[in-house]
Amino acid sequence: MTGGLPGGMPPDLNFFATGDLSVQLKDLEKSEQPPDRCVGLGQGVGGNLARSCLGLVGSKETKEHRVQQATKDEKKGDAIVPLDRLNAPFSPSTSPRSGLTGAILSYSEPKGMWFSLLMNDMGPVPREELDKVIAHRWTFQGALELAAQGKSICYFILCLLEIQRNIQVDQEEEVLNANLLEACKTFVRCQCREGKPGEMYQVLSHFISNSHVFFEWEKFLTGIFQDSRAHQERFLVMHLEQVWSRYKRFTTVLESMFDYLDDIFTWRHRLPKVSELIRDHMKRRCFSSPLVTKNELFTSQAVRDETLKQVRFAMGFVL
């Protein structure tokens, strides 16, 4: 399988939007290329995503690949992501939250999605599929840069977006269609067998760190723990269950999707397992504030409710 367009579009390629492309490409080839300061990150999905987030310029090989791909797209007329979308700033408060809110994969699975995931197809991504990533209510920082690299990674990102949507909205529905989940697991295995388990782990950690469900859970729980009734077990548990049940489903589906990393990668490099990575992030985001750590229901041993006991044990509040 061949890789697609590297993640992120640096400012020095902004001139592709105007002027004569062939002349600009010749000028770019003549310009001096700064050394890659993070060569150890590699040139795949995770490495280029990390460079994009750090604001670092890619290596000479990476830029040459971008130039070659841009020339091919210009000749073939393939769908190219608008530069203003690739370079647009992101924040949870200004993301396109009014976009697609329906379960897009439940009634209109993109044509060839399952097959592309299964075959690890990194061919050009149709514009309409990238638009789905952009407009999705639960899109996250870096999602577009990842999706633009190839069909299979684009559909993989769409599945991650749909997981968030189904977790938050459809409590009674399956988190992700069983066939698509198996295809996503196959995609992860294919990437790992191509020598990219570290990059798949980076994609997982990046998704967890930027997933909107944690922003929403944190905001919800902060309001609950600020309430004057937060010391009442019945009141607290009734609201805590809303988040805890979603967290358990979220963890289960991601564990299943990325389980191959636990088999071949995490233990070898002494990294947290998939479930531990999610749990540690959940604890930092939702259960580390003084409002929680000083709540008497989290510090007292006299707790009867099973859900509260599970939360206390998982988040490290066991006395």
Side-chain angles (χ1 to χ4, degrees):
M1 305 298 174
T2 57
L5 194 67
M9 185 70 73
D12 53 9
L13 291 185
N14 286 341
F15 59 80
F16 281 178
T18 59
D20 182 71
L21 182 60
S22 60
V23 174
Q24 292 167 346
L25 291 178
K26 291 179 181 179
D27 293 339
L28 179 62
E29 291 173 352
K30 295 178 182 179
S31 62
E32 294 184 359
Q33 304 293 345
D36 186 359
R37 291 180 289 170
C38 289
V39 65
L41 293 174
Q43 299 300 330
V45 176
N48 284 297
L49 178 61
R51 286 186 179 84
S52 176
C53 293
L54 293 172
L56 299 177
V57 179
S59 66
K60 179 179 180 181
E61 290 76 10
T62 302
K63 284 194 172 183
E64 289 176 351
H65 187 70
R66 288 185 178 130
V67 172
Q68 293 171 2
Q69 187 64 37
T71 306
K72 291 179 182 178
D73 291 341
E74 184 73 14
K75 292 179 179 179
K76 295 181 180 180
D78 292 332
I80 301 176
V81 184
L83 295 178
D84 56 342
R85 290 181 178 176
L86 280 172
N87 294 323
F90 173 89
S91 69
S93 59
T94 60
S95 60
R97 311 293 281 168
S98 59
L100 301 178
T101 57
I104 62 173
L105 301 188
S106 64
Y107 61 83
S108 61
E109 177 187 325
K111 184 178 180 180
M113 181 178 192
W114 177 83
F115 187 75
S116 294
L117 284 168
L118 207 60
M119 299 303 295
N120 196 22
D121 180 7
M122 296 299 285
V125 188
R127 179 184 293 273
E128 57 268 22
E129 306 306 336
L130 292 174
D131 287 340
K132 289 179 182 179
V133 174
I134 296 169
H136 201 286
R137 187 191 186 280
W138 277 271
T139 194
F140 57 92
Q141 183 179 15
L144 178 59
E145 288 84 350
L146 283 170
Q149 297 184 33
K151 276 187 179 180
S152 57
I153 186 66
C154 178
Y155 292 141
F156 186 75
I157 295 300
L158 273 175
C159 288
L160 292 178
L161 299 181
E162 280 299 284
I163 286 173
Q164 295 180 97
R165 185 262 171 202
N166 295 337
I167 286 288
Q168 293 294 78
V169 178
D170 288 334
Q171 277 288 297
E172 303 302 324
E173 301 291 334
E174 59 184 355
V175 178
L176 187 65
N177 176 273
N179 290 333
L180 285 178
L181 179 57
E182 287 301 318
C184 287
K185 294 175 65 174
T186 301
F187 169 77
V188 173
R189 286 174 178 263
C190 288
Q191 290 291 308
C192 291
R193 288 171 180 173
E194 287 184 356
K196 302 176 182 178
E199 293 174 333
M200 282 292 98
Y201 193 84
Q202 286 178 325
V203 170
L204 170 63
S205 60
H206 180 83
F207 168 65
I208 294 172
S209 300
N210 293 276
S211 172
H212 277 293
V213 295
F214 288 103
F215 288 103
E216 293 163 349
W217 293 345
E218 180 184 19
K219 183 177 180 180
F220 177 79
L221 289 177
T222 298
I224 296 306
F225 279 100
Q226 288 177 339
D227 194 282
S228 59
R229 296 166 290 177
H231 65 281
Q232 300 175 13
E233 183 173 312
R234 182 179 178 182
F235 172 83
L236 185 63
V237 171
M238 178 175 61
H239 293 88
L240 194 61
E241 284 178 341
Q242 297 295 316
V243 171
W244 192 246
S245 62
R246 288 172 166 83
Y247 162 75
K248 289 195 295 184
R249 297 174 74 207
F250 187 71
T251 301
T252 299
V253 71
L254 289 185
E255 274 187 291
S256 177
M257 187 178 290
F258 290 93
D259 60 356
Y260 197 59
L261 293 177
D262 287 342
D263 293 339
I264 68 164
F265 182 73
T266 57
W267 63 271
R268 187 184 301 275
H269 299 277
R270 299 183 179 180
L271 293 170
K273 293 184 177 180
V274 174
S275 59
E276 294 172 351
L277 193 67
I278 303 171
R279 183 195 63 201
D280 292 345
H281 188 71
M282 181 69 169
K283 181 177 180 180
R284 285 195 303 271
R285 291 298 302 273
C286 300
F287 294 97
S288 61
S289 69
L291 286 171
V292 180
T293 57
K294 295 181 180 180
N295 185 286
E296 61 185 63
L297 294 177
F298 279 79
T299 57
S300 173
Q301 295 183 354
V303 174
R304 295 171 296 178
D305 185 84
E306 288 300 321
T307 298
L308 190 53
K309 289 180 180 179
Q310 288 180 22
V311 176
R312 282 165 35 117
F313 179 80
M315 298 296 110
F317 287 94
V318 178
L319 298 177

